[in-house]
Amino acid sequence: MKIIQASKNGTENWRYLQTKVALVNPLVLVFANRFILEDEAKIKIIKEEFPYENLVFASTSGEILDGSIQDNSISITAIEFENSTFIIERENISSFNKQTNLLGEALLKKIPKDNLRHLFVIADGLLDGSKLIEGLENNLSKSISITGGLCGDDARFEKTLSSYNDNPKTGEVVLIGLYGDTLEVSFASAGGWFPFGPERKITRSIGNIVYEIDNKPALEVYKNHLAHRAISLPSASLSFPLNVTYEGKKQAVVRTILAVDEQNKTLILAGDAPENSKVQLLMASVDALIDGAQNATELAIKDRENKAELALLVSCIGRKLVMNKRVGEETEYVKESLDEGTLITGFYSYGQIAPFNGNDYTNLHNQTMTVTLISE
């Protein structure tokens, strides 16, 4: 595996982390701020600098490169696979009447299954990630793992952009299939949040909109738990996500609150929260979040047969906001935990896609650090 990484801030020249050389048919991951990806002149600059056939674009809430975090930059990782291959497919929600599960099913059908080892997903950050995963996993062998992330838009939650080769657009989902007998992919996801207050039940919800908790308006229940912090809604909700345990499940998923609806007294989450799920508020210290990132890395490394060559990190905008000036510590700890020579790329997102540790089914997570390690 040959990897070339570069970044560009504003009008500065490209900064390469390795010697610039030509690669053979690389997979090129382009992570950048949404406003950059909306600028056709900047897309042209990217394509001129990386004149390859397989460019995947994703808007972010911060770019991760070599263990450091950048904002409002262009971050590029070009990967030439020497013993493995990849296939990229894309679909847009506009073709599926906003039914994200159907989009996922259509994408999966387009991906050849012979010798498929792993799927990496880049998706519009405002789509229903849970339904997307449901569609992708329909009829998929449990031996094929899925990780990835939902694109970001800083903390604006206005729109996100992604694409495969074309100019980035809304509603886009890109699926990267990785193939090869020697390909090794490992992964883990961890948070660092801890619950507080009583555990309650979601008594009325539709998809990602929670109407009632314990038969009371969901927003009122949430505000009562936040007490004086409720005055800072909706921004305060990023610091106090929900722990949601589906009926019949033991492991909870974290759900970021994207918005609150004062008129209807509802909570709009970044993933689904079915009726009869148990729900509890979460909070975290900065140190606990940093420990969570290190834990995810150690779990991803555990039981690997070979040293990882590339680490793909997908963290959450909520973590970034809580850690504030200390946010760089989580990626620093990840880098320290990885083998020397493992290259790092990634982005801050609106949702992280990965199986629970030790499970073979995929979940949408919020407020986690998800680590995907690749070698061939």
Side-chain angles (χ1 to χ4, degrees):
M1 185 183 292
K2 296 179 182 178
I3 301 173
I4 300 296
Q5 295 180 297
S7 65
K8 182 176 174 59
N9 287 276
T11 58
E12 295 178 1
N13 292 330
W14 287 97
R15 180 179 69 90
Y16 278 81
L17 277 66
Q18 299 83 22
T19 302
K20 181 182 177 181
V21 296
L23 298 176
V24 178
N25 189 36
L27 166 62
V28 183
L29 301 176
V30 183
F31 301 138
N33 184 274
R34 187 251 292 182
F35 291 126
I36 291 174
L37 296 186
E38 286 181 319
D39 188 335
E40 291 188 11
K42 290 185 171 62
I43 297 299
K44 182 180 179 181
I45 289 171
I46 292 169
K47 291 184 175 182
E48 287 175 348
E49 189 70 18
F50 292 87
Y52 299 113
E53 295 182 357
N54 295 291
L55 277 71
V56 175
F57 296 89
S59 67
T60 80
S61 296
E63 302 80 53
I64 301 171
L65 193 67
D66 190 35
S68 64
I69 300 167
Q70 304 177 72
D71 291 299
N72 303 312
S73 75
I74 303 169
S75 170
I76 305 236
T77 298
I79 310 150
E80 177 188 322
F81 292 95
E82 298 175 287
N83 302 310
S84 311
T85 58
F86 64 90
I87 291 176
I88 306 172
E89 296 290 351
R90 46 74 51 196
E91 288 288 356
N92 196 282
I93 193 64
S94 61
S95 301
F96 297 91
N97 195 28
K98 298 184 178 181
Q99 297 186 64
T100 318
N101 60 317
L102 298 183
L103 185 157
E105 291 176 5
L107 262 182
L108 183 64
K109 287 179 181 178
K110 295 169 73 172
I111 290 284
K113 309 303 184 299
D114 289 346
N115 212 24
L116 176 62
R117 301 297 299 275
H118 186 77
L119 294 169
F120 193 83
V121 188
I122 297 289
D124 185 309
L126 301 181
L127 295 181
D128 186 337
S130 299
K131 290 296 184 182
L132 173 63
I133 292 168
E134 180 184 306
L136 288 172
E137 287 202 314
N138 192 15
N139 297 319
L140 181 68
S141 168
K142 291 184 178 181
S143 65
I144 300 170
S145 49
I146 305 175
T147 60
L150 306 186
C151 297
D153 180 28
D154 289 337
R156 290 180 293 265
F157 295 96
E158 294 174 354
K159 65 177 178 178
T160 73
L161 304 174
S162 54
S163 71
Y164 170 42
N165 284 339
D166 293 336
N167 286 359
K169 57 182 72 69
T170 61
E172 199 81 351
V173 179
V174 181
L175 188 60
I176 304 169
L178 300 178
Y179 301 78
D181 292 331
T182 62
L183 189 72
E184 183 179 4
V185 182
S186 61
F187 43 83
S189 185
W193 300 83
F194 54 89
F196 73 97
E199 188 174 67
R200 299 183 181 276
K201 180 187 285 189
I202 296 174
T203 47
R204 183 175 171 235
S205 67
I206 299 176
N208 67 329
I209 303 175
V210 180
Y211 291 87
E212 295 181 358
I213 297 174
D214 284 352
N215 297 307
K216 297 177 182 177
L219 181 56
E220 289 185 3
V221 175
Y222 186 70
K223 283 184 174 181
N224 287 338
H225 281 305
L226 289 190
H228 67 278
R229 304 182 189 91
I231 196 172
S232 299
L233 285 172
S235 60
S237 64
L238 290 171
S239 300
F240 297 94
L242 300 178
N243 211 39
V244 178
T245 307
Y246 293 4
E247 186 177 21
K249 301 289 185 181
K250 293 182 179 180
Q251 291 175 301
V253 292
V254 181
R255 288 287 176 259
T256 298
I257 298 171
L258 294 179
V260 298
D261 186 335
E262 293 283 356
Q263 182 176 351
N264 295 308
K265 305 296 182 184
T266 61
L267 303 174
I268 298 120
L269 310 184
D272 62 348
E275 290 181 0
N276 297 318
S277 297
K278 295 177 183 178
V279 63
Q280 197 171 13
L281 261 69
L282 294 171
M283 64 186 303
S285 68
V286 173
D287 289 336
L289 294 178
I290 293 170
D291 288 345
Q294 187 172 14
N295 184 36
T297 310
E298 291 172 352
L299 287 169
I301 293 171
K302 185 180 178 182
D303 299 328
R304 281 191 64 87
E305 294 182 4
N306 301 293
K307 170 185 169 182
E309 295 174 82
L310 178 67
L312 279 164
L313 311 184
V314 182
S315 192
C316 184
I317 176 60
R319 299 169 62 86
K320 188 181 180 192
L321 294 175
V322 171
M323 288 186 280
N324 199 0
K325 293 180 180 180
R326 292 184 61 189
V327 65
E329 293 183 39
E330 80 163 347
T331 52
E332 288 172 8
Y333 272 82
V334 168
K335 185 174 182 178
E336 289 176 4
S337 300
L338 291 168
D339 292 321
E340 186 177 355
T342 302
L343 301 183
I344 300 171
T345 188
F347 64 99
Y348 280 83
S349 71
Y350 285 173
Q352 305 81 55
I353 296 171
F356 275 116
N357 300 323
N359 289 339
D360 54 14
Y361 59 90
T362 309
N363 282 91
L364 173 70
H365 306 271
N366 300 134
Q367 308 286 10
T368 66
M369 166 66 84
T370 293
V371 180
T372 303
L373 303 179
I374 303 173
S375 65
E376 53 170 359

